[in-house]
Amino acid sequence: MSSRARGSTSIAEDDDDEMDIDSDVPSRPTEVVPAELLRDAPNWLSAVRSLRETDVIILLTPVVIPISQIPTDTSDPFEPLGRSLAKRHSRVRQIPYTQRNGITSTHLGFIKRGHVIILCFAPDPSQQLQQEFAEVTFAVSDNKPCIIVVCCKPTDISQALLFPTVIQTIDYSPSALEATAALIFGEGSQPLGGRAPEPTNEAQQQPRLWAVEQWNEVRDMASVVSLWNECISSRFTTDQGTLASLLRRPGYAKHYVVREPRHGEILGFCATYLSYVDKEGENLIASLAALLVRSSSRQQGIGLSLHNHAISQLKRTRGVMRLQLGSTFPRIFYGPPSEMHLNEEWFRRRGWQMDKPNVPGQGQIVRDMILDFADWRHSEEHPRQKTVSFRLCTQEDMVSVLEIVERTSARQAKMGWYDQYLSLMNGPNVKDVVLGIENNNVVAIALTYTPSCGSQIASNLPWAGRIGNDIGGVTCICIPFIFGLLDASVENLQSQGMTKMFLDGVANDSDLFMQLGFREWAQYRDVWKDI
C-alpha cells in the first residue's frame, strides 16, 4: 500500500501502468531487422542462456490465423518459434492460448513447473488484455525469467508492454520467429532497422524488477518512519516507538524493503503478517498490511516488485487460507482507508476487488468509531437482554471464552481474535474481558483495553492511544448482546479513568451506533481473497 503524496493515500501503488515507452521513435530505414530487444531490465536473457539441460522453457503462444491466410492451412504459425528454441535447448513445452480464454489454470500449472516463461502476443488484439495476460503470467511465475514477445508492425512500438523483458518482432513469420529465438540465446542482437540500442536515461522512469530484501529493524527503522511520515495522512501519524511495536512480531511477521542500489536509501517498504484463525493453528490469515513507496521513486516498478514478492512468500506458507489487503491484529490499517486516493485498477489487475461497498472482502465499508461517554445513549436490544447479566472475566471463565471465540472465528473467519483472547490466559489482564452470563453460561464476550493497560491488545490497536490518553477501547465483540456488552464495557473503562471509547472494525449497523452516540473516526474498505 503506497502513497502518491502525504495525505493523499496510504494504501496505493507505484503506478507502472501509465508510462510511455519509446514515445519518440525516429523514422525507420527501409531495411528492417526482424527482431529487436526493447528492454531487459532484470537481465533475464542471461539466465536463459545459462539454463541447465534439465530446465524447461514454457512457451505460451496465441491461436491466430496463419500468415498465408490459405483456408486449407491449419498449421500453427508459432510452431517455428518452438522448433527454433528447441534447436538451442532440448526441453521446450509449447502451450497455445486463445484471446477469449486467456491464461487458464492449465497454463498456470505449466508456468509453475517451468524455469523460463516466454509469452507471445500476436498483432492488434486488445493491449489491455495483453497487459492482463502478462501480469497473470508474471504473478504466477514466482520471479522466474519471463520474456514477452510482441509481434507487430515495425512502427507500432506503442504495443510494447510495460514489462521487464520485451522483444518486438515485425510479425510472426517463420523468419521473424527464428530471429527471435536467436536473439533470446544471444545469437542476434541488432534492433529493428539496424538502430543501435539507445543508452539508458536514468531520468526516464521505466518499470522494472527491483531486488527485494528482508527488513532489518536496527538498520531500517528510522528510514521506514521517515517513509511513513512522507506517505501517510496526518490521521495516522505515529512515532518510531509505536510503529516499531506494530512491526515487531517475531514468528508472525515479515517485512521487506527495496533500496536504491548505489546509496542504499530505502525507496519502498512492505509489511506482512500471519494470524491464526483457530486453536489448532492449521488455518492462517496472511495480511499485506502496508505498501509504501517514496514519492520521488514511483512509476518505476518498486511497488510491483514488493507486492509480488510479498504475495509469493505468503502463499508459500502452509495453512494460509486467505490473503487480506490490510491487517486486523496488529492494526496498521484494517484495509485501504476510504479517505485516501487509491488506484483501484492497479490492485484489480492483481486480484484485489474493492468496488462493492456492501460485499465482505470486495470493498465492504468498515469503520472505526469513537464514543464520548457523555453522549452514550444505552438502549435495550432485545427482551432476552433482561435475562443476561454482565461482569468481568476470571481465569476460570477462560475455557468457555475461548470456545465461544473459536466458534465465532470459524463461522466468520475473524482474523486474529482467537490469538487476542488466548494471550490473556493465565495473565493479569484477564479482567479486560467483559462477559455476558445467562443461566450460569458465558453467552457473550468483548475485549476492553486502555492505552496503559500493558496487554497485547493495546499494542495491537494503537490508534486509541494516539488520539488521547483518556480513550479506552472495546474490540473482538462476540454478540448477540451488543448493547449490554457495550454498556458493561463503558462502565469498566470509566472505572479506569477513561472518558471516551474506541470501537474498531464496525462493518454493519453504523447508523445504529451513531444513534447511540458514536461518531465515525476512520473508514476503510474490507478487501481480501480466499486462496
Side-chain angles (χ1 to χ4, degrees):
M1 305 150 209
S2 91
S3 164
R4 290 185 182 275
R6 179 176 176 85
S8 64
T9 178
S10 61
I11 305 183
E13 73 306 309
D14 55 319
D15 188 359
D16 54 358
D17 302 304
E18 299 176 357
M19 298 299 298
D20 294 325
I21 303 299
D22 292 339
S23 57
D24 184 14
V25 180
S27 59
R28 305 283 188 181
T30 302
E31 183 178 356
V32 177
V33 174
E36 174 187 12
L37 176 62
L38 294 185
R39 185 165 56 256
D40 186 22
N43 199 25
W44 272 338
L45 290 183
S46 65
V48 176
R49 296 159 190 169
S50 60
L51 284 172
R52 299 170 297 180
E53 291 184 3
T54 56
D55 290 342
V56 178
I57 295 176
I58 301 299
L59 175 61
L60 306 176
T61 58
V63 175
V64 294
I65 300 174
I67 285 183
S68 65
Q69 297 187 359
I70 300 174
T72 57
D73 185 358
T74 60
S75 63
D76 179 357
F78 280 87
E79 187 174 322
L81 178 58
R83 290 198 303 265
S84 298
L85 293 171
K87 292 178 183 177
R88 296 163 171 87
H89 185 79
S90 60
R91 297 176 65 85
V92 177
R93 301 292 181 267
Q94 181 180 354
I95 305 98
Y97 69 90
T98 64
Q99 182 180 358
R100 177 178 179 180
N101 295 326
I103 305 302
T104 67
S105 58
T106 300
H107 300 96
L108 299 183
F110 281 98
I111 292 170
K112 290 179 180 179
R113 294 193 294 270
H115 298 85
V116 169
I117 316 301
I118 301 175
L119 175 61
C120 299
F121 292 127
D124 298 329
S126 166
Q127 188 173 359
Q128 181 178 356
L129 284 177
Q130 289 182 344
Q131 187 73 31
E132 291 180 359
F133 295 167
E135 290 181 351
V136 169
T137 300
F138 177 67
V140 177
S141 67
D142 195 21
N143 290 327
K144 299 170 187 173
C146 290
I147 302 164
I148 299 294
V149 176
V150 182
C151 302
C152 56
K153 299 176 183 178
T155 57
D156 194 7
I157 288 185
S158 64
Q159 285 198 20
L161 300 180
L162 303 178
F163 203 75
T165 300
V166 180
I167 293 174
Q168 183 189 31
T169 74
I170 56 173
D171 53 28
Y172 51 91
S173 63
S175 59
L177 296 178
E178 167 59 32
T180 300
L183 182 59
I184 289 173
F185 281 88
E187 301 168 12
S189 58
Q190 289 297 317
L192 289 171
R195 182 165 54 97
E198 297 180 5
T200 300
N201 181 2
E202 293 183 358
Q204 181 182 11
Q205 295 179 328
Q206 292 190 2
R208 63 185 179 92
L209 286 185
W210 294 72
V212 177
E213 303 176 20
Q214 194 155 325
W215 172 75
N216 180 287
E217 180 180 348
V218 174
R219 178 189 60 191
D220 300 330
M221 193 65 239
S223 295
V224 170
V225 172
S226 170
L227 180 60
W228 178 281
N229 290 332
E230 175 187 329
C231 295
I232 302 304
S233 70
S234 58
R235 180 184 299 274
F236 299 103
T237 55
T238 187
D239 55 36
Q240 181 166 325
T242 300
L243 186 57
S245 175
L246 287 171
L247 297 176
R248 192 184 302 125
R249 294 294 189 277
Y252 294 87
K254 281 190 177 181
H255 313 311
Y256 305 98
V257 296
V258 164
R259 301 179 186 282
E260 199 283 323
R262 291 168 297 180
H263 309 300
E265 177 191 12
I266 290 181
L267 304 179
F269 170 76
C270 177
T272 71
Y273 298 97
L274 296 171
S275 57
Y276 290 103
V277 173
D278 52 27
K279 66 180 180 181
E280 285 81 13
E282 295 295 329
N283 295 316
L284 296 168
I285 303 294
S287 298
L288 183 64
L291 181 59
L292 310 173
V293 176
R294 290 200 183 278
S295 57
S296 60
S297 301
R298 293 175 193 146
Q299 298 185 340
Q300 299 181 51
I302 295 172
L304 180 64
S305 298
L306 284 165
H307 174 278
N308 289 349
H309 181 83
I311 295 299
S312 173
Q313 295 300 310
L314 292 172
K315 284 184 175 180
R316 289 179 178 179
T317 305
R318 185 176 66 87
V320 169
M321 54 178 283
R322 176 175 293 178
L323 296 172
Q324 180 192 11
L325 189 60
S327 64
T328 304
F329 300 107
R331 169 75 63 79
I332 292 183
F333 305 107
Y334 190 100
S338 297
E339 68 183 36
M340 299 178 185
H341 174 76
L342 185 74
N343 188 332
E344 296 184 18
E345 178 65 17
W346 191 91
F347 284 97
R348 186 191 66 78
R349 287 197 299 271
R350 286 151 186 89
W352 303 103
Q353 300 296 326
M354 56 184 71
D355 58 349
K356 298 179 180 178
N358 298 315
V359 180
Q362 298 185 34
Q364 181 183 36
I365 299 301
V366 176
R367 294 174 172 87
D368 289 342
M369 310 188 81
I370 289 182
L371 170 71
D372 188 317
F373 292 156
D375 299 328
W376 175 232
R377 296 185 289 275
H378 171 62
S379 173
E380 290 188 357
E381 177 186 22
H382 190 276
R384 187 184 170 194
Q385 178 102 17
K386 297 177 181 179
T387 67
V388 180
S389 61
F390 297 89
R391 63 172 174 82
L392 302 184
C393 184
T394 67
Q395 288 294 347
E396 290 73 22
D397 298 313
M398 283 303 293
V399 172
S400 297
V401 167
L402 293 176
E403 288 176 352
I404 292 177
V405 176
E406 185 174 15
R407 288 198 301 270
T408 303
S409 296
R411 185 173 63 253
Q412 302 179 15
K414 293 298 184 181
M415 293 155 282
W417 281 22
Y418 189 85
D419 280 355
Q420 303 312 305
Y421 281 96
L422 183 63
S423 68
L424 303 179
M425 193 82 164
N426 300 319
N429 293 106
V430 67
K431 63 182 183 301
D432 293 339
V433 181
V434 177
L435 306 180
I437 306 294
E438 184 178 42
N439 297 327
N440 295 319
N441 294 317
V442 178
V443 293
I445 54 177
L447 261 175
T448 63
Y449 60 96
T450 64
S452 59
C453 69
S455 70
Q456 174 179 295
I457 193 66
S459 64
N460 280 342
L461 293 171
W463 302 124
R466 296 297 298 168
I467 298 169
N469 292 328
D470 62 340
I471 300 180
V474 61
T475 188
C476 301
I477 299 174
C478 296
I479 51 180
F481 306 107
I482 181 68
F483 299 122
L485 279 171
L486 288 177
D487 204 36
S489 298
V490 167
E491 183 178 345
N492 183 34
L493 292 173
Q494 279 183 318
S495 70
Q496 300 177 68
M498 301 293 103
T499 65
K500 301 180 182 67
M501 183 168 71
F502 189 88
L503 177 62
D504 65 283
V506 178
N508 299 298
D509 300 324
S510 59
D511 290 342
L512 182 57
F513 282 105
M514 290 182 182
Q515 293 174 17
L516 295 171
F518 285 88
R519 60 181 175 84
E520 181 181 294
W521 181 76
Q523 184 181 118
Y524 314 89
R525 283 177 285 183
D526 180 36
V527 182
W528 47 263
K529 52 186 176 180
D530 289 329
I531 295 180

